Amino acid sequence: MTSHDAVLCRHLLRVYDSPSGRVQAVRGVDIAVRTGTMTAVVGPSGSGKSSLLRMIAGLDRPTAGDVLIGGLSLSALSDRSLRRTRHRLVSNIYQQPGQNLLPGRTALEQVERTARRRGLGESDARAMLELLGLEGRLRHRPQELSGGEQQRVAFARGAVGSPAVVIADEPTAELDSASGRAVIDAMATLATAGSTIVVATHDPAVMRAATHVVLLRDGAVASETGDDIELAVIDQSGRIQLPPGVRSWFPEDRALIHVDEDNERVWIERP
């Protein structure tokens, strides 16, 4: 882990028992999330996105492997210490806007409550809401806000006091396109201001706005994209996943590997 990483996942494995047998929801995931970035975790339903986010948030313990948040190993903590650490270092934003806010409290009260828990005050809460374009909604209660405004208040509350990471699971899924765009802009604004956002999503607009995209397939990292370059991921055992369209070129599940050590090149072909 470097000083620039807010999150480091090392060899993560998550196994569930189901009526049909044991299911590997996450298989050997190794990723690093840099501070001040917006990372989108993408992939089809059942690819392991929610399971991965729950482990990063400290809500589920991995079957094997470890998660480091701000350099702190979550696996090394007792259940009680993990709960305290989770409240201090991680904020969760849920998919349905109504799940994120307390009924009867104004937007300012929602954010101020978290700010005080993190040693800050009303001015910090107000500044965070203003940063996300909510200066005209400070005294409004959840029922007086649109879904997009509720989600922006939730992100303001999550990011106030600079926790190590703000995690969101499909935060635009319940919103119309205009409200979704406002929430995406809010996440990008927070990342630019130094917050670290990790978001699971199916939304192409979120993927385009993200600085780092992690593609999961069958519980493993298939590729990572940053700076408009998509990279295949090599796991700790030296395995590499092929892109989905290329996988069909090898119907016998075998390939010839050629190594050019002089030019530091490796390529594969069908046998």
Side-chain angles (χ1 to χ4, degrees), residues 69 72 77 81-91 117-118 158 160-165:
I69 302 292
L72 180 65
L77 301 177
S81 295
L82 180 59
R83 285 193 297 272
R84 288 200 303 264
T85 299
R86 191 170 66 235
H87 291 313
R88 180 169 56 90
L89 295 181
V90 180
S91 290
R117 196 164 63 237
R118 293 173 178 165
V160 70
S162 301
V165 60

Side-chain angles (χ1 to χ4, degrees), residues 5-205:
D5 294 334
V7 180
L8 181 65
C9 300
R10 297 194 298 202
H11 325 321
L12 282 186
L13 175 71
R14 186 70 170 98
V15 178
Y16 296 98
D17 290 321
S18 73
S20 58
R22 306 197 82 190
V23 176
Q24 289 190 0
V26 175
R27 301 184 296 114
V29 166
D30 294 282
I31 59 172
V33 177
R34 294 178 69 83
T35 300
T37 61
M38 177 178 162
T39 294
V41 180
V42 306
S45 296
S47 60
K49 299 188 300 297
S50 293
S51 295
L52 176 60
L53 260 63
R54 286 185 63 84
M55 287 188 286
I56 293 174
L59 295 171
D60 287 343
R61 289 188 182 271
T63 306
D66 196 8
V67 177
L68 280 74
I69 302 292
L72 180 65
S73 168
L74 300 188
S75 295
L77 301 177
S78 66
D79 289 345
R80 183 177 180 181
S81 295
L82 180 59
R83 285 193 297 272
R84 288 200 303 264
T85 299
R86 191 170 66 235
H87 291 313
R88 180 169 56 90
L89 295 181
V90 180
S91 290
N92 279 293
I93 312 297
Y94 299 102
Q95 181 179 128
Q96 296 183 342
Q99 293 181 329
N100 291 309
L101 303 179
L102 297 169
R105 292 182 180 268
T106 67
L108 182 59
E109 289 170 342
Q110 305 271 356
V111 181
E112 185 183 5
R113 187 169 183 265
T114 301
R116 292 197 183 283
R117 196 164 63 237
R118 293 173 178 165
L120 304 175
E122 179 183 323
S123 61
D124 300 284
R126 186 184 296 271
M128 183 60 71
L129 286 163
E130 291 175 351
L131 178 67
L132 300 186
L134 292 164
E135 58 273 8
R137 294 290 187 265
L138 300 183
R139 303 299 176 185
H140 288 64
R141 292 172 172 80
Q143 65 270 24
E144 300 169 322
L145 301 171
S146 69
E149 288 170 339
Q150 289 181 40
Q151 288 295 59
R152 279 189 282 162
V153 173
F155 273 100
R157 188 179 70 176
V160 70
S162 301
V165 60
V166 178
I167 295 174
D169 196 351
E170 300 281 0
T172 63
E174 302 286 326
L175 306 178
D176 59 41
S177 58
S179 295
R181 182 70 256 173
V183 170
I184 293 168
D185 290 344
M187 289 191 287
T189 297
L190 290 173
T192 299
S195 295
T196 303
I197 312 292
V198 179
V199 52
T201 186
H202 286 98
D203 189 340

